[in-house]
Structure formats: structure tokens, C-alpha cells
Amino acid sequence: MPGIAIALFFVLGLVLSLVGYFWGLVQAFGEETIWGVLYFLVPFASLVFYIKNWSNKKIRKTFLIHCAGLLMFVLGGITTSVF
């Protein structure tokens, strides 16, 4: 039973992270096309995009959803490897 809960935590984190990533990609393309291309192709351009647009609440929310998903994904993976 705990294995199922850990796997669900892992999968939920993966889904939440992917939703946050693609939502951020749409927002980056909404700001400017170049931001969307950079967000998609350059590894840390998304972080620069979030820092530059931190005052926008919708973009901040997307970043926090993406981070929460990554945290759940990593913690689920660590917990899976321990058990």
C-alpha cells in the first residue's frame, strides 16, 4: 500500500511539473515570440523569464506550480529508491 501512494506522489509530481512547464511556455510565447523560443531551447532561459516577469501574478503562479511539481517528483523518486 505505501508503494502505491509513493508512486502516485511521483506521478502527480511529474504531471504537475509538466503542466507548469507547458503553461509557462504558453505564457512565454504570449509575452514575445523570442521568449517562447528561448524558454523552449535554452536551458536556463525559463528562469530568466520568470525573474524578469516576477511581478506578474499569473507567471509567478506558473513558476510555483512547476517548482512544486519538481519537488514532488524528486521526493517521490528518492522515496521510491529508498523503499
Side-chain angles (χ1 to χ4, degrees), residues 5-22:
I6 293 169
L8 283 174
F9 195 72
F10 180 77
V11 170
L12 181 63
L14 177 65
V15 168
L16 201 59
S17 178
L18 288 174
V19 166
Y21 174 78
F22 285 116

Side-chain angles (χ1 to χ4, degrees), residues 12-72:
L12 181 63
L14 177 65
V15 168
L16 201 59
S17 178
L18 288 174
V19 166
Y21 174 78
F22 285 116
W23 191 3
L25 183 63
V26 168
Q27 289 175 334
F29 271 111
E31 287 289 315
E32 288 183 36
T33 306
I34 191 70
W35 272 117
V37 172
L38 289 172
Y39 189 101
F40 187 66
L41 296 176
V42 179
F44 292 104
S46 61
L47 188 59
V48 174
F49 172 74
Y50 287 128
I51 290 170
K52 185 174 184 268
N53 296 300
W54 189 251
S55 60
N56 187 336
K57 286 186 178 184
K58 289 182 180 180
I59 292 174
R60 188 180 328 152
K61 181 179 176 182
T62 305
F63 175 72
L64 295 175
I65 288 172
H66 184 71
C67 286
L70 281 175
L71 182 66
M72 289 174 65

